[in-house]
Amino acid sequence: MSAETDDSEKKGLYLFGRDVSQIPCFRSSFLSGIGTGFAGGLAYFMFTSKPGNATHVGFACFFCSTFVYWGICRYNYAVTKFTTARIQEATVMPRRKIIVEEKPVDA
């Protein structure tokens, strides 16, 4: 029984009471931030050979790229969600209109 895995027993990383695997754009923005920070810090270190400043540059690259990517991704997510909701409403609306028009109007 201990070898079986249940979805209810699945543990995730919780940040401020929310499971981060359920937050849209979280994983992709942090992975791109980590990659950009590492590359920026390494490039700065290769050109200047100053490890202290390279860590500062790496963290700055991480911070900036994470939040820029997060903003772009969340904007695209919101636009997609809004468009999907409008399309679903447009497909349901003709059915509602037909039902309303079939009812006789008392004059």
Side-chain angles (χ1 to χ4, degrees), residues 2 8 17:
S2 64
S8 62

Side-chain angles (χ1 to χ4, degrees), residues 33-48 50-65:
I34 290 169
T36 305
F38 181 75
L42 185 64
Y44 188 84
F45 177 74
M46 290 301 202
F47 284 115
T48 63
K50 295 179 182 177
N53 288 346
T55 56
H56 294 310
V57 169
F59 184 75
C61 289
F62 163 76
F63 184 78
C64 292
S65 65

Side-chain angles (χ1 to χ4, degrees), residues 2-19:
S2 64
E4 295 178 15
T5 57
D6 256 349
D7 288 343
S8 62
E9 295 178 10
K10 185 178 176 184
K11 298 276 181 171
L13 177 64
Y14 284 87
L15 187 65
F16 299 118
R18 290 187 62 185
D19 185 11

Side-chain angles (χ1 to χ4, degrees), residues 90-103:
T91 58
V92 172
M93 194 57 139
R95 291 185 208 152
R96 289 183 187 162
K97 206 176 217 183
I98 291 171
I99 292 171
V100 170
E101 288 176 359
E102 288 179 359
K103 292 180 182 180

